[in-house]
Amino acid sequence: MNKTEMIAKIAEKTNTSRKAAAEMFDAFVETVTEALKEGDSVQIIGFGTFEVKERPARTGRNPATGETIEIAASKAPAFKVGKTFKTAIE
């Protein structure tokens, strides 16, 4: 399912226009993104938690040359599945 299909499904389930559903979807994504940028996590009970994971600096290897390289520390968004959501799809 892509974004357009998701918006169409939201519009159908909420009995709203696709434009309104698109605005709600975009607002949700923007709100989650802003919260993660600020260092917060977003917990939706029964669905899951969006959070930022810290990746430490490490040594890696270039597969083409075999040369050892340093990989810088970074932050990455992560999603931890909630129990209710997990059991619903099993």
Side-chain angles (χ1 to χ4, degrees):
M1 178 180 289
N2 62 32
K3 182 179 177 181
T4 304
E5 294 167 339
M6 174 71 80
I7 289 170
K9 198 67 139 169
I10 291 170
E12 179 185 317
K13 288 186 178 273
T14 60
N15 199 26
T16 59
S17 69
R18 286 186 182 196
K19 182 178 178 182
E23 289 172 358
M24 288 184 275
F25 182 81
D26 290 340
F28 173 78
V29 171
E30 185 178 321
T31 302
V32 170
T33 302
E34 288 172 358
L36 295 179
K37 277 184 182 179
E38 294 171 3
D40 294 334
S41 64
V42 178
Q43 182 180 16
I44 303 170
I45 303 296
F47 183 66
T49 304
F50 296 93
E51 58 191 359
V52 176
K53 297 277 187 171
E54 302 274 341
R55 292 185 180 166
R58 62 191 191 281
T59 303
R61 190 170 300 277
N62 181 336
T65 64
E67 177 186 357
T68 301
I69 57 173
E70 288 298 317
I71 301 170
S74 64
K75 295 179 181 179
F79 179 73
K80 183 176 175 184
V81 179
K83 184 178 180 182
T84 306
F85 182 47
K86 185 177 181 179
T87 57
I89 60 172
E90 288 181 342

